[in-house]
Amino acid sequence: MTDQPISEATARPNVARMYDYFLGGSHNFAADRAAAERVLEIFPETGVAAQTNRHFLRRAVRYAAAQGVRQFLDIGAGLPTQGTVHEVVRTVAPDARVVYVDYDEVAVAYARQLLTDVPGTAVVQGDLCRPDDLLTHPDVRATLDLDRPVAVLLLAVLHFVSNDDDPWAAVARLRDATVPGSHLVLSHLTLDGIPPELAERGEAIYRNSSAPLVPRTHAETLRFFTGYDLVEPGLVETTRWRPDGEPELVNSHGYAGVGVRR
């Protein structure tokens, strides 16, 4: 992206575009880059941690496809980057269908532009905290059959939802809308073991962005898997979830897991 504003929203740091910057992408604006650089001053390994999260996404999506899942609902998808869900899953299942969801108008507009001619995909503007609106969206209904297993992907998104908005209830609603055999693929930031003063400095940057940063403990993250059977090795550091040889250079400061709906 250039620095020519698309809307007033581009003047405020946006967490999806900051993530794109951490991944080395170009779909970001000056405000996003400035905020991301402040994060990197505190946590220099953030860029590698973002790559680690993308590696987990690829492993988990391939796993779900290998189990027969052919439908994917990627909530908090952000900006399309290299190795998107439909690109990954179609190496295993060419007939897979994917819906990308984000609440940010810039991310949604750009994703729609890129995916206009990609069959079996849809891009929806929606809010994780309003799951019923999302589940009844006509583009979701037209692309996915909720009477068949769906993999719900919540990659690095729940730590931008405050406890006051009860993200556990939102995830439970998504669970209840899917059939047994559906998958939950989840990664979540943690600052377990991080000095409190560093954690506070990082959280302060995000308080001035499009969403707050809400790192959670292992126990708090595990609650999202209520009603699911965790796939081995369970909820673990992102680098430890079924590594397949991709380089994992640092502690990811995150937990990751895959659950199967009972």
Side-chain angles (χ1 to χ4, degrees):
M1 291 182 182
T2 69
D3 287 337
Q4 180 65 35
I6 295 175
S7 73
E8 291 182 4
T10 63
R12 186 183 189 190
N14 175 276
V15 295
R17 297 193 300 265
M18 289 171 64
Y19 186 68
D20 175 73
Y21 182 77
F22 293 137
L23 288 169
S26 59
H27 308 309
N28 46 72
F29 295 91
D32 311 310
R33 295 190 287 273
E37 284 295 334
R38 291 198 296 275
V39 172
L40 290 168
E41 290 174 3
I42 304 168
F43 301 112
E45 68 277 19
T46 300
V48 178
Q51 293 286 353
T52 295
N53 189 65
R54 297 299 295 183
H55 294 168
F56 164 69
L57 179 150
R58 290 193 283 270
R59 297 194 302 271
V61 165
R62 288 195 296 261
Y63 172 84
Q67 305 309 303
V69 177
R70 294 295 181 266
Q71 304 185 105
F72 295 79
L73 179 60
D74 186 359
I75 302 176
L79 291 157
T81 58
Q82 186 176 7
T84 53
V85 173
H86 72 276
E87 291 172 333
V88 174
V89 71
R90 287 177 180 176
T91 65
V92 179
D95 59 337
R97 304 177 71 81
V98 180
V99 174
Y100 296 100
V101 180
D102 204 276
Y103 71 88
D104 178 63
E105 62 181 28
V106 177
V108 170
Y110 192 72
R112 284 175 176 161
Q113 179 182 351
L114 289 183
L115 299 176
T116 297
D117 298 323
V118 180
T121 67
V123 181
V124 170
Q125 186 168 8
D127 189 342
L128 170 60
C129 295
R130 302 178 65 179
D132 288 314
D133 290 348
L134 173 58
L135 292 165
T136 57
H137 192 287
D139 290 344
V140 173
R141 289 292 189 176
T143 308
L144 305 180
D145 178 0
L146 296 182
D147 292 327
R148 298 170 52 217
V150 177
V152 176
L153 312 182
L154 296 172
L155 279 296
V157 61
L158 287 164
H159 52 243
F160 295 120
V161 182
S162 72
N163 289 346
D164 290 343
D165 288 325
D166 198 354
W168 295 279
V171 174
R173 178 69 190 96
L174 292 167
R175 177 201 65 211
D176 293 344
T178 62
V179 298
S182 294
H183 286 49
L184 174 64
V185 177
L186 182 151
S187 64
H188 198 296
L189 177 73
T190 186
L191 293 181
D192 287 352
I194 298 299
E197 63 274 14
L198 291 183
E200 169 57 29
R201 287 173 59 194
E203 290 171 21
I205 295 170
Y206 281 90
R207 282 197 289 271
N208 293 316
S209 75
S210 61
L213 187 66
V214 189
R216 293 188 171 94
T217 65
H218 187 274
E220 290 171 327
T221 306
L222 189 61
R223 285 179 56 196
F224 290 115
F225 286 97
T226 301
Y228 292 89
D229 293 322
L230 273 169
V231 173
E232 290 294 333
L235 182 67
V236 295
E237 293 179 6
T238 310
T239 56
R240 294 177 52 211
W241 198 89
R242 301 194 174 211
D244 62 2
E246 292 175 313
E248 306 289 3
L249 302 181
V250 295
N251 185 322
S252 63
H253 298 303
Y255 295 119
V258 175
V260 180
R261 170 86 155 84
R262 296 175 189 147

